[in-house]
């Protein structure tokens, strides 16, 4: 959750924990809104349809997102190169 009238997560919230992990693992270096050339922007990702290289599509549910973090080459987004490293063993299921 975020503070009312703010885009900053409330201290101790799951949103804040996620933000801290996003920064700690340096995801922001490639997935920031202003670095589109590096990797897809993650804003609006949840439950959106993602077209995949080689055809097909997936909805970005919890399982898709988890797999994209620990096995990023399994389902590569259309028009993107498979350059994301795996974070398997570096994040927990809760993360």
């Amino acid at each position: 959750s975020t503070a009312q009238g703010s885009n900053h997560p409330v201290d101790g919230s799951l949103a804040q924990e996620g933000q801290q992990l996003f920064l700690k693992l340096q995801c922001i270096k490639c997935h920031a809104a202003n670095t589109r050339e590096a990797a897809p922007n993650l804003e609006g990702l949840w439950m959106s349809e993602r077209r995949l290289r080689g055809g097909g599509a997936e909805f970005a549910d919890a399982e898709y997102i988890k797999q994209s973090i620990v096995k990023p080459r399994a389902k590569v987004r259309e028009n993107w190169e498979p350059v994301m490293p795996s974070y398997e063993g570096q994040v927990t299921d809760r993360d």
Side-chain angles (χ1 to χ4, degrees):
S1 63
T2 58
Q4 190 171 6
S6 168
N7 287 329
H8 301 288
V10 174
D11 286 349
S13 69
L14 288 176
Q16 183 193 37
E17 287 181 34
Q19 181 184 50
Q20 289 173 337
L21 187 62
F22 193 77
L23 296 172
K24 176 185 168 191
L25 296 176
Q26 299 185 29
C27 307
I28 196 164
K29 282 189 168 188
C30 297
H31 289 286
N34 62 350
T35 59
R36 173 134 174 82
E37 67 279 349
N41 183 346
L42 301 180
E43 290 181 19
L45 172 69
W46 182 249
M47 294 308 293
S48 63
E49 185 177 63
R50 298 294 161 172
R51 310 270 327 137
L52 303 176
R53 284 180 95 173
E58 294 256 340
F59 282 96
D61 59 8
E63 190 58 34
Y64 172 88
I65 292 170
K66 176 183 171 184
Q67 185 176 40
S68 294
I69 294 167
V70 297
K71 297 184 186 314
R73 288 170 175 78
K75 297 176 182 173
V76 178
R77 291 260 324 260
E78 183 177 71
N79 300 320
W80 293 96
E81 294 299 318
V83 297
M84 181 170 156
S86 171
Y87 287 90
E88 192 166 19
Q90 297 180 56
V91 296
T92 65
D93 284 346
R94 184 179 185 278
D95 292 341

